[in-house]
Amino acid sequence: MKTERTFRREAVTGALGCLTAVLGALAGFAVRLPYGRAGLFGAFEGERNPDLLRLGLPVPVAGGTATALTAFAAVRGRWRTAPALAAVVAGAAALGYGFDVLAGPRTARDCGPSC
């Protein structure tokens, strides 16, 4: 039978898990911010890159969330959950590298020798 103390401990643990996930998402967003600012607000002659919102923002945010939750699960001793979340982090990293998510806007990178 669960006591009130057990319910309180589970509530605190759940709240800490949610806080960890939010902080991880903010960390992923912060990692992406220096690279994405030029593509979102116009890098070369004010040209915008809407591809940033398809993969450039969701992949780092999901990766940051999964990384934070992996660390949280490992600290709590959830040895079955932590490797599964680590696999999600590896998948997000592979997806990010595969699609070159942290690359700058194409117009700024391919402007030729005159830059």
Side-chain angles (χ1 to χ4, degrees):
M1 183 168 158
K2 293 186 177 186
T3 63
E4 184 177 329
R5 188 174 192 179
T6 305
F7 286 128
R8 185 172 294 141
R9 184 180 312 143
E10 289 177 359
V12 168
T13 302
L16 287 175
C18 289
L19 180 65
T20 302
V22 168
L23 289 176
L26 289 174
F29 182 74
V31 165
R32 178 64 182 138
L33 190 61
Y35 300 100
R37 183 178 300 150
L40 192 58
F41 297 117
F44 183 70
E45 295 180 357
E47 185 176 332
R48 294 178 185 212
N49 187 2
D51 291 336
L52 172 72
L53 299 176
R54 290 190 198 125
L55 284 174
L57 189 61
V59 170
V61 169
T65 303
T67 303
L69 289 177
T70 301
F72 185 71
V75 166
R76 290 199 58 226
R78 304 286 183 179
W79 301 115
R80 290 185 182 175
T81 307
L85 286 170
V88 170
V89 171
L95 184 70
Y97 287 125
F99 285 104
D100 207 12
V101 169
L102 290 181
R106 186 165 302 279
T107 55
R109 288 185 296 162
D110 298 336
C111 64
S114 62
C115 293

